[in-house]
Amino acid sequence: MIVQAILLGVVAFIAQCEYALGTSLLSRPIVTGLFVGIVLGDIKTGIIMGATLELAFIGSFSVGASIPPDVVTGGILGTAFAITAGAGTETALLLGLPIATLTLILKNVYLGLLIPVMNHKADDYAKDGNYKGVERMHLTAGVGLSLMLALIVTFSFMVGSSTVGKLLEMIPEFVQHGLTVATGLIPALGFAMLARLLINKQVAPYFFLGFALAAYLNIPVTGVAIFGAILAVVIVNLMNVRGNQMQTNTGEVVEDDDEF
């Protein structure tokens, strides 16, 4: 139990290192779910629950000063608690979303109190031309947040894993049924939030094309993705040809050095 808790903390530390080393998408539940499954010895369930939580969190991302619920702790602990309790994906959602929201409060305290101090210190280093000091403040701030989340995951799993089974037994049957229904609705809501940002008159036909391929021709998702990739390459090539023709018509010399 202790070893598993420590390993989950390591997973959380690495996933949250985006703040120090740059965005790598290791923090997404679909990635952390795999590693949680490896740590707990149930890779298949870890992937399934991670993918479900990914759909729930797919529309959650930082916009300006707005910070969404923490997907690292929510994804890791939601998946871990559900696996140890022998429950389904609805339990991962039930536990993951509140955990992510609670962690956000602690995360905001760190970002609001400690980060500004390090920023001012970095400003002083910048005035002196000490780029090493600026780099050190950046890494310290990012690694400090990763360490905080790693400790939250480690101690939460050690304390809470033994009580999750009892907690689930206390939940009425109708509530569990409602959570099962919500399991299907929340991913759809996540996709809707994402599509709202992406869809416009130019890309809308491709959304409907993908739907038609899957719904009426029974092409699997992998097949739709392959068709989409081929279509994207064809369209980009056509746009390049059109752009070259327009440049030629204006009298500009066009050098085509593209190689396949």
Side-chain angles (χ1 to χ4, degrees), residues 21 39 46 76 80 82 123 133 144 151 165 170 173 213-214 224-225 238 259:
L21 305 178
V39 171
I76 292 175
D123 290 338
L151 293 175
M170 298 173 58
E173 182 66 28
L213 290 175
V224 174
L238 290 176
E259 296 181 0

Side-chain angles (χ1 to χ4, degrees), residues 119-186:
N119 287 342
H120 291 310
K121 188 65 175 177
D123 290 338
D124 295 335
Y125 284 131
K127 291 178 182 179
D128 297 334
N130 186 353
Y131 73 93
K132 289 286 188 180
V134 176
E135 183 182 64
R136 188 164 58 251
M137 288 298 99
H138 171 76
L139 292 175
T140 301
V143 172
L145 180 60
S146 299
L147 181 60
M148 183 186 78
L149 295 189
L151 293 175
I152 290 175
V153 169
T154 299
F155 287 109
S156 297
F157 185 76
M158 291 176 60
V159 173
S161 59
S162 61
T163 60
V164 172
K166 297 179 181 179
L167 177 64
L168 294 177
E169 293 177 358
M170 298 173 58
I171 300 177
E173 182 66 28
F174 73 92
V175 174
Q176 295 188 21
H177 177 70
L179 292 172
T180 303
V181 176
T183 304
L185 294 178
I186 292 179

Side-chain angles (χ1 to χ4, degrees), residues 54-61 184-197:
E54 177 66 33
L55 293 176
F57 285 109
I58 198 169
S60 298
F61 51 88
L185 294 178
I186 292 179
L189 179 61
F191 268 120
M193 294 172 63
L194 186 63
R196 184 179 179 184
L197 298 174

Side-chain angles (χ1 to χ4, degrees), residues 74-88:
I76 292 175
L77 290 177
T79 301
F81 285 153
I83 290 178
T84 54

